[in-house]
Amino acid sequence: MHHTFFENKQIEVVSTFSELLGKNFKGNTNALCWKRNLVGDFEEIVNKLQLKQNITEISVENLLSLELSEKGNMAREIILNDLQLLTDSGASPSLNLLKNYERDDEFDFISTDVYSYHVDRSPIETSTFLCTYFGTTSDILPNHQAVQKILIPEIRKKLRKLHGSSEESFEAFLQENYFDLHYEPTPDAKPTNLGTGNIWRLSVDHPNNPVLPCIHRAPVENSGEYRLLLIC
């Protein structure tokens, strides 16, 4: 079962890009959403782009080279405008045509791929921006509905055995291998799906962050369907 945006107290909904950029995270709020109902044929763009790898970065030149219908062109203009807004704000957006992400199946008791609920970390103050134009969409979780995997006793025990060194270096080992970034939803957890067309700004684990980082995960893709995702 999924929460709606307005049932999830970690989310604040805004109506403009300037609000999305200018709002401060505070209290329980660690996700901002510029909620939009986009017009245009984004599927046409996906169908006309060429997937070269499982994740293919699409340049502005790639977009401009496409021969599109009127509705396809409307979709393209929206994407180009979003890229420009984020670039002008100092971000470095990337538009990805995505078949699937790489899976981490090295261990059977913990995974560090993006399909696992996780938070992002940065050494500097920043946020994660996401917008899915086509395909399956990500989920976020309220922080009180998730447990850090390294605190689950059976997982922590296996990680200690894997580490096999001094207790003093164990915490550094967890960070260096990104184990500390991943979370297990509680049995009563109700994720919120981010939906298509909305631009999200998610809180990141960085120094002096006044709020908790936003717990999120990538969706499992539909068979035979690519995602078109803006991220930075």
Side-chain angles (χ1 to χ4, degrees):
M1 180 178 177
H2 284 80
H3 271 316
T4 66
F5 298 166
F6 301 102
E7 292 174 317
N8 190 334
K9 294 181 180 179
Q10 78 183 111
I11 297 170
E12 184 171 349
V13 177
V14 300
S15 55
T16 65
F17 181 76
S18 59
E19 279 188 281
L20 183 73
L21 204 63
K23 285 275 187 179
N24 292 322
F25 295 120
K26 59 184 179 179
N28 293 324
T29 302
N30 63 6
L32 297 169
C33 173
W34 180 16
K35 195 173 187 308
R36 309 186 297 179
N37 293 311
L38 301 184
V39 294
D41 191 344
F42 294 90
E43 184 176 7
E44 181 185 359
I45 293 177
V46 169
N47 290 338
K48 290 192 174 180
L49 289 171
Q50 184 177 359
L51 186 79
K52 297 178 181 178
Q53 300 174 340
N54 286 342
I55 304 173
T56 301
E57 185 169 357
I58 306 301
S59 68
V60 170
E61 291 73 20
N62 295 146
L63 282 177
L64 292 174
S65 70
L66 300 178
E67 292 287 339
L68 298 171
S69 67
E70 182 180 354
K71 288 187 175 181
N73 189 57
M74 291 168 67
R76 174 167 57 191
E77 289 302 314
I78 289 169
I79 296 171
L80 291 172
N81 186 61
D82 289 347
L83 289 167
Q84 193 64 54
L85 285 172
L86 285 163
T87 300
D88 289 347
S89 75
S92 299
S94 174
L95 181 67
N96 295 328
L97 182 66
L98 203 155
K99 180 180 180 182
N100 62 267
Y101 290 105
E102 184 176 350
R103 287 282 191 172
D104 171 27
D105 54 6
E106 184 175 0
F107 307 112
D108 62 1
F109 62 93
I110 192 169
S111 172
T112 58
D113 62 39
V114 294
Y115 298 103
S116 164
Y117 277 112
H118 64 282
V119 300
D120 297 331
R121 177 188 290 146
S122 171
I124 60 172
E125 183 176 348
T126 190
S127 300
T128 293
F129 290 86
L130 293 171
C131 180
T132 300
Y133 299 106
F134 184 80
T136 55
T137 54
S138 301
D139 289 332
I140 62 173
L141 271 182
N143 294 72
H144 70 276
Q145 294 181 0
V147 179
Q148 199 175 16
K149 287 186 176 181
I150 62 170
L151 299 181
I152 299 173
E154 55 268 32
I155 292 178
R156 193 171 183 87
K157 182 178 179 181
K158 291 178 180 179
L159 288 170
R160 285 187 185 280
K161 184 178 180 181
L162 179 66
H163 175 52
S165 189
S166 65
E167 182 65 27
E168 291 75 19
S169 61
F170 182 57
E171 294 301 325
F173 162 78
L174 296 177
Q175 291 189 20
E176 289 165 2
N177 291 278
Y178 311 110
F179 294 129
D180 63 319
L181 299 181
H182 289 263
Y183 289 75
E184 183 72 25
T186 59
D188 62 342
K190 293 181 180 178
T192 298
N193 187 264
L194 303 190
T196 56
N198 308 310
I199 298 185
W200 288 82
R201 178 177 157 220
L202 307 181
S203 172
V204 168
D205 180 9
H206 65 73
N208 304 316
N209 190 345
V211 301
L212 294 171
C214 185
I215 299 170
H216 60 287
R217 69 173 177 186
V220 176
E221 300 80 10
N222 292 327
S223 178
E225 179 184 86
Y226 299 154
R227 295 179 68 204
L228 188 61
L229 173 72
L230 183 154
I231 186 168
C232 62

